[in-house]
Amino acid sequence: MQPQIILLKEGTDTSQGKPQLVSNINACQSIVDAVRTTLGPRGMDKLIVDSKGKATISNDGATIMKLLDIVHPAAKTLVDIAKSQDAEVGDGTTSVVLLAGEFLKQLKPFVEEGVHPRIIIKAVRKALNLCVAQINELAFKIEKHDNEKHRALLEKCAATALNSKLIHQQKEFFSKMVVDSVTTLDALLPLNMIGIKKVTGGALEDSMLVEGVAFKKTFAYAGFEMQPKSYDNVKIALLNIELELKAERDNAEVRVDNVAEYQKVVDAEWQILYDKMAKIHQSGAQVVLSKLPIGDVATQYFADRDMFCAGRVPEEDLKRTQKACGGAVMTTVQDITDKVLGNCAHFEERQIGSERFNLFQGCPNAKTCTIILRGGAEQFLEETERSLHDAIMIVRRTIRNDSVVAGGGAIEMELSKMLRNHSRTIAGKEQLLIGAMAKALEIIPRQLCDNAGFDATNILNKLRQKHAQGCQWYGVDIMKEHIADNFEAFVWEPSVIKINALTAACEATCMILSVDETIKSPKSGGGEPQQPPMGRGMGRPF
């Protein structure tokens, strides 16, 4: 009798080999089914309720993937690629999950028949290289020196990104707004310099773009009603100082032996506050913004001197104001000179819906802007914000990479045709594998048709015929339930989206195919605390 060799802690769950691989692929399949129907202009939305009861309605692939609480380790890779697509390009998050899922689905029969995963991975990598080379060759380069054309292109790309969103009815309106907002930024195009503020009420068309900074009126003390609500050519002091009388800390102790001394202590405290405020007033600033609270004494003091103040301004708003109006955030009042004061042409406090907003316009170095969104329900506004985020990311990418391809499944059909033709020139297993990849690419146009309720087989046959005849930009036309030249129809997407999506999907596919064993360690400490057995405990009556 040979002694049994115990290698892993007892309770460790191991599964390996082909069944494990197939089960991983099946897990990914069920995730794809969760987001499959959100693709394209006729995509449906998902309502996800989290453990706290907060409901989110969205059709943005990355948002849905983040909110799904996925436990399966292999399926988590799909969540990662959706997040990476969102961070890198902003749009195409549903497509990337769909592509990865479809690659796995088409390659699954080969796994079951015993083709070694390494051979499959090699074929996937080869197909990816061919696709990326083909996209770079087909992509249409845009002339940047012609400003009007370049702007029109950016608007087209933003409109294509908004096509599949909740606000596709207003895509003309929003695509202009998005392009305006991105073009106000500096060369690095920092995302956090575009503020998006949501105000419920009103119609979507009431949304507006403020070239400068706008933020919700902060909590204000008595006396703010008397402050002027608008200024021209205003100087702005940005502070990080608390302008109110401090409550004594519990451990502070002042020992006095007569009332006069106590009065001196109180007077000194008031004097410090008044000195601070006098210095701010002397600096010539008319608007005082502080990250810390500005109390009622200070509010009244500033109101008497025709100055406007706002305390507890969120840090990001303060930073954006500094970026737009110049100046510096001061932590002391000793040295407030014109150098550290910001300035802008016009400041006003305006009522927008039920909220009051502070608007700074005509900023000298306005490298920032704010989009104020209006609309009905809060859910709706949140989804609008997510949609605009995608469009803003797309416009940023298009400014950086100036090549575009046609959307609507056109580029996928062309790549599919190219791979199919290429596979016929190879002998051996790779021929079948690259053929499977070619078939998998058709999932995008097929899903677009399915989501719109069209006959997918019929439309795909027409598309295959057109692409075989050399019409490389033909894709699905959702409006007419037919096929159309999507390049002429201005359904444009930056080529970087497609390259990124294909690369991420192929990487995820290779990663899942290369796993042949899963080892789950038991939870330390014996997992869940054991429930005491039912029945009579110590000293407890029946």
Side-chain angles (χ1 to χ4, degrees):
M1 289 286 289
Q2 278 196 338
Q4 190 182 2
I5 298 172
I6 297 176
L7 193 62
L8 300 168
K9 205 161 132 192
E10 67 173 317
T12 305
D13 178 21
T14 63
S15 42
Q16 64 192 81
K18 202 193 298 178
Q20 175 57 30
L21 228 175
V22 173
S23 115
N24 283 351
I25 294 177
N26 292 343
C28 294
Q29 238 34 75
S30 47
I31 288 203
V32 173
D33 290 338
V35 292
R36 184 186 290 279
T37 52
T38 64
L39 185 78
R42 296 279 183 272
M44 309 298 273
D45 293 357
K46 304 283 177 214
L47 193 157
I48 300 172
V49 184
D50 64 10
S51 52
K52 296 190 184 86
K54 183 180 184 291
T56 310
I57 299 175
S58 178
N59 75 351
D60 176 42
T63 309
I64 295 167
M65 297 297 271
K66 277 178 204 157
L67 292 171
L68 288 176
D69 213 351
I70 291 167
V71 185
H72 196 286
K76 277 186 182 161
T77 50
L78 293 190
V79 183
D80 292 341
I81 57 171
K83 282 184 185 168
S84 84
Q85 179 80 359
D86 196 38
E88 181 61 26
V89 210
D91 198 21
T93 44
T94 310
S95 314
V96 73
V97 177
L98 258 180
L99 282 168
E102 193 62 21
F103 288 158
L104 289 168
K105 184 179 170 183
Q106 295 296 342
L107 296 169
K108 183 172 141 190
F110 297 100
V111 174
E112 286 170 337
E113 281 165 21
V115 178
H116 195 281
R118 279 287 149 212
I119 296 173
I120 302 179
I121 289 171
K122 190 179 164 197
V124 171
R125 294 239 161 91
K126 187 167 184 183
L128 172 66
N129 293 338
L130 288 167
C131 285
V132 172
Q134 180 78 348
I135 292 176
N136 287 331
E137 195 180 310
L138 289 174
F140 178 72
K141 280 270 188 290
I142 296 300
E143 303 302 324
K144 275 197 176 174
H145 51 73
D146 186 345
N147 276 348
E148 274 187 19
K149 266 190 185 168
H150 193 231
R151 189 187 160 84
L153 158 89
L154 294 177
E155 282 183 18
K156 305 270 172 24
C157 288
T160 306
L162 292 172
N163 241 337
S164 59
K165 306 292 181 204
L166 202 59
I167 49 173
H168 60 91
Q169 306 288 333
Q170 286 84 6
K171 66 177 180 189
E172 297 293 321
F173 173 76
F174 279 115
S175 55
K176 283 191 176 63
M177 189 185 276
V178 164
V179 175
D180 284 339
S181 66
V182 178
T183 44
T184 55
L185 301 179
D186 58 16
L188 288 172
L189 304 176
L191 246 190
N192 58 352
M193 285 298 145
I194 300 179
I196 298 183
K197 304 287 175 196
K198 305 183 284 279
V199 185
T200 44
L204 269 176
E205 280 82 6
D206 298 341
S207 304
M208 60 186 195
L209 179 71
V210 179
E211 292 206 6
V213 183
F215 53 84
K216 217 176 270 187
K217 179 159 183 56
T218 53
F219 173 79
Y221 287 92
F224 80 94
E225 298 90 343
M226 296 183 266
Q227 295 175 345
K229 298 293 182 252
S230 85
Y231 295 98
D232 288 323
N233 297 326
V234 52
K235 289 185 176 174
I236 306 160
L238 305 168
L239 306 174
N240 188 4
I241 308 171
E242 202 167 0
L243 290 175
E244 62 179 345
L245 291 171
K246 295 265 198 342
E248 274 75 28
R249 298 281 174 266
D250 297 342
N251 56 1
E253 193 176 301
V254 179
R255 296 195 175 193
V256 291
D257 44 20
N258 60 30
V259 177
E261 281 186 10
Y262 175 68
Q263 191 59 42
K264 275 184 194 165
V265 173
V266 175
D267 288 350
E269 196 176 16
W270 280 82
Q271 199 52 49
I272 291 169
L273 181 63
Y274 275 122
D275 285 350
K276 280 184 185 173
M277 294 189 300
K279 287 218 168 74
I280 294 170
H281 176 55
Q282 284 158 18
S283 71
Q286 291 134 311
V287 172
V288 182
L289 301 178
S290 176
K291 202 167 118 183
L292 297 171
I294 292 182
D296 41 5
V297 178
T299 308
Q300 199 71 49
Y301 181 94
F302 290 137
D304 294 344
R305 287 159 184 72
D306 278 348
M307 292 161 71
F308 176 90
C309 68
R312 296 191 178 134
V313 177
E315 186 171 12
E316 58 159 338
D317 289 333
L318 204 64
K319 274 190 175 163
R320 287 190 19 248
T321 312
Q322 180 189 350
K323 188 91 171 179
C325 305
V329 178
M330 299 296 285
T331 50
T332 165
V333 291
Q334 299 309 327
D335 194 24
I336 299 187
T337 58
D338 275 357
K339 260 190 206 162
V340 297
L341 290 178
N343 57 328
C344 73
H346 187 63
F347 163 80
E348 67 170 315
E349 184 175 299
R350 194 191 299 174
Q351 187 83 18
I352 299 178
S354 57
E355 305 282 358
R356 293 173 90 160
F357 268 74
N358 299 337
L359 276 70
F360 298 83
Q361 287 164 308
C363 307
N365 37 1
K367 296 279 192 283
T368 172
C369 58
T370 312
I371 296 173
I372 298 177
L373 290 179
R374 304 298 313 279
E378 201 173 306
Q379 296 285 356
F380 187 75
L381 279 176
E382 282 181 12
E383 178 60 7
T384 307
E385 183 185 3
R386 282 192 286 269
S387 309
L388 287 184
H389 168 261
D390 282 12
I392 288 168
M393 291 289 284
I394 287 300
V395 174
R396 285 177 67 216
R397 282 284 158 229
T398 318
I399 289 176
R400 296 235 180 105
N401 311 65
D402 51 352
S403 63
V404 293
V405 292
I411 184 79
E412 283 84 4
M413 285 307 288
E414 185 60 25
L415 294 174
S416 173
K417 181 198 87 171
M418 181 271 299
L419 284 182
R420 203 172 269 122
N421 292 345
H422 181 81
S423 72
R424 294 193 183 114
T425 62
I426 315 169
K429 292 175 187 165
E430 263 188 17
Q431 179 183 30
L432 296 168
L433 294 166
I434 289 184
M437 294 286 285
K439 190 175 178 199
L441 282 168
E442 290 181 355
I443 184 66
I444 301 286
R446 181 182 294 277
Q447 198 59 48
L448 284 172
C449 296
D450 284 349
N451 289 355
F454 303 162
D455 180 350
T457 315
N458 184 13
I459 287 182
L460 278 175
N461 285 339
K462 287 179 187 169
L463 280 176
R464 286 194 199 105
Q465 177 215 4
K466 280 287 183 196
H467 282 267
Q469 289 168 358
C471 307
Q472 60 189 29
W473 294 129
Y474 264 74
V476 184
D477 183 349
I478 296 284
M479 302 308 156
K480 296 186 182 133
E481 193 173 339
H482 197 60
I483 58 173
D485 187 327
N486 278 353
F487 205 82
E488 282 178 13
F490 298 124
V491 180
W492 292 355
E493 301 193 62
S495 54
V496 66
I497 294 188
K498 297 298 176 195
I499 291 174
N500 209 59
L502 281 167
T503 312
C506 288
E507 279 173 4
T509 307
C510 294
M511 202 159 117
I512 289 164
L513 287 172
S514 63
V515 172
D516 75 333
E517 181 167 9
T518 307
I519 302 168
K520 261 191 187 171
S521 296
K523 285 187 180 146
S524 54
E528 307 298 312
Q530 290 291 313
Q531 288 289 322
M534 292 295 288
R536 202 167 159 227
M538 289 282 287
R540 274 189 304 173
F542 266 126

